[in-house]
Amino acid sequence: MTTAAAADSARPAMPAVLWPLLFGNFVIGTGVMAVPGTLNEISGSLDVSVATAGQLISAGAVLMCVGAPLCAAFVAGWDRRRLLALSMVWYALLHLACAFAPDFAWLLPLRVLALVAPAIFTPQAASCVGLLVPAEMRGRAITFIFVGWSVASVLGMPLAAFVGGTLGWRAAFGVVALLSVASAAWVWRAMPDGVKPPALSKAAWSETFRSPALMICVSVTVLYAAGQFVLFSYFAPYFKATLDITPGALSLFFMWFGAFGLLGNMVMSSYIDRIGAPRSVMIGIGLMAASMAAFPLGTNVWLAALVCVPWALGCFSSNSAQQARLVGIAPSLAAASVALNSSAMYAGQAIGAASGGWLLARGAMDWLHWAGLVGLLASMGASALATHYARRRP
């Protein structure tokens, strides 16, 4: 047995309490990605353009962007068992309300309100991991619970796309509501009482905002999220227009993308503590940029699937590594920095979806991947700068 294999076998298994957090992120990710997966159905059912339907993505992302740090401050003293379970109950009720929305004017605000839950669950689940596992397991534990987002891409988003394409988008939202109820019950049953990360003072928030290493690191997330979501938000209409893809083939494509996203996150979880979070982030972004550069080669469904493999490998793993990177730079400020990073991810989604919608409205669909590549290359530059400042931090 090699030294590396022996080290892998010697590492302790993840505590059982982390599994409901992973499942919660799966449900959160499935709900967030349900709209991109059913964008064609929403557009046709409610008689609005694809660009208008895309406002569901950008408006929801703005709410999550603003809501993550605000909620982090508001819920600082809450018991995490109650907070995380209640956030999933909220997710269930609002997705059910969305499923019964009579028109787009009702759907848009209900969808925005539903996304209060992701603004709370994902960052607060990550911020309390340090109280659930030993310090030496922190990096693995954080990337482990973010595997839920990868599983959402391999199972949840294809499920939503398939249900939406066969039974309608309302049925897809109903599935998310049912999964949210199951998640709330599991969190309530498995999480211990009394998990309360220390509340951050105004001085701690101030220190976070004044840290060049942390804030540049957060900007990395904004840039690579925007770069991805220029195109990712509009996969369904893009492939419908360019490849005449069917709903069944689209769900299989999402499953393919998600399978490699899950693989990338699992590999990252295994090796991040060895190669370091900054290098892991750079590798993930570089893989995504490679797919954007090669995207014109995807002239049929099979080639498009192959071109997207590097993107999928880096998509979720890079965000998991970013969370661990921020915690490593300043562990005492993790509650603030992780919330800001979630906010940054959603800000990037809003920027990317809005930019992609702007291009679509002007008939520039073929420019989506080039705009995405610009964002990813800028993110790589910012990541190198963040590493420089992190090395200078005491």
Side-chain angles (χ1 to χ4, degrees):
M1 181 181 293
T2 65
T3 302
D8 283 339
S9 63
R11 286 188 296 181
M14 287 297 170
V17 71
L18 297 182
W19 284 97
L21 301 184
L22 184 153
F23 181 71
N25 274 329
F26 161 73
V27 178
I28 290 291
T30 299
V32 169
M33 293 187 285
V35 169
T38 59
L39 206 58
N40 289 334
E41 288 71 33
I42 293 172
S43 172
S45 170
L46 300 182
D47 195 24
V48 296
S49 69
V50 168
T52 298
Q55 293 176 13
L56 293 169
I57 302 171
S58 53
V62 169
L63 181 282
M64 292 185 288
C65 167
V66 175
L70 291 180
C71 289
F74 179 72
V75 304
W78 288 35
D79 181 278
R80 290 310 188 257
R81 180 192 184 204
R82 289 158 179 78
L83 174 65
L84 297 178
L86 286 173
S87 68
M88 296 310 298
V89 170
W90 175 271
Y91 210 42
L93 292 175
L94 268 294
H95 270 88
L96 192 61
C98 286
F100 288 97
D103 53 36
F104 188 80
W106 274 95
L107 179 60
L108 182 60
L110 288 171
R111 172 64 177 176
V112 170
L113 288 174
L115 296 182
V116 169
I120 293 174
F121 189 95
T122 297
Q124 296 310 314
S127 68
C128 72
V129 163
L131 300 178
L132 299 172
V133 301
E136 63 272 14
M137 293 180 63
R138 186 189 297 138
R140 286 181 61 216
I142 291 174
T143 54
F144 176 79
I145 66 171
F146 274 90
V147 167
W149 275 84
S150 302
V151 178
S153 70
V154 72
L155 293 177
M157 189 175 183
L159 176 64
F162 180 76
V163 172
T166 55
L167 301 178
W169 65 269
R170 298 178 190 275
F173 277 53
V175 169
V176 175
L178 290 174
L179 290 172
S180 300
V181 171
S183 174
W186 194 3
V187 168
W188 183 262
R189 181 181 179 85
M191 280 283 288
D193 279 324
V195 178
K196 297 180 181 180
L200 285 173
S201 64
K202 290 182 180 179
W205 278 105
S206 177
E207 183 181 352
T208 301
F209 282 112
R210 287 188 289 105
S211 168
L214 290 176
M215 296 314 297
I216 295 174
C217 194
V218 167
S219 75
V220 172
T221 303
V222 174
L223 290 168
Y224 75 62
Q228 291 183 80
F229 274 82
V230 168
L231 179 56
F232 188 85
S233 302
Y234 300 100
F235 263 177
Y238 180 91
F239 287 127
K240 178 66 176 177
T242 59
L243 304 179
D244 195 27
I245 197 168
T246 64
L250 179 64
S251 65
L252 288 175
F253 177 88
F254 283 139
M255 187 176 295
W256 168 272
F257 189 96
F260 282 96
L262 175 60
L263 176 62
N265 217 8
M266 292 174 65
V267 171
M268 185 73 76
S269 181
S270 297
Y271 288 95
I272 186 171
D273 289 330
R274 299 181 197 172
I275 66 176
R279 186 179 298 176
S280 298
V281 171
M282 190 67 83
I283 291 171
I285 301 173
L287 287 169
M288 293 188 285
S291 283
M292 288 290 185
F295 206 77
L297 300 177
T299 53
N300 59 50
V301 174
W302 294 106
L303 289 175
L306 288 174
V307 165
C308 285
V309 167
W311 182 355
L313 289 170
C315 180
F316 297 99
S317 61
S318 57
N319 193 49
S320 298
Q322 272 287 85
Q323 304 282 10
R325 183 185 194 180
L326 288 162
V327 174
I329 291 173
S332 63
L333 302 175
S337 63
V338 169
L340 286 175
N341 193 63
S342 295
S343 180
M345 172 61 72
Y346 301 134
Q349 290 181 17
I351 294 168
S355 300
W358 185 86
L359 289 170
L360 284 178
R362 284 154 181 78
M365 180 176 283
D366 290 339
W367 283 87
L368 292 175
H369 68 281
W370 295 122
L373 179 60
V374 170
L376 291 167
L377 292 177
S379 181
M380 294 177 75
S383 185
L385 187 61
T387 299
H388 169 73
Y389 276 102
R391 287 172 179 163
R392 295 173 55 186
R393 183 180 174 85

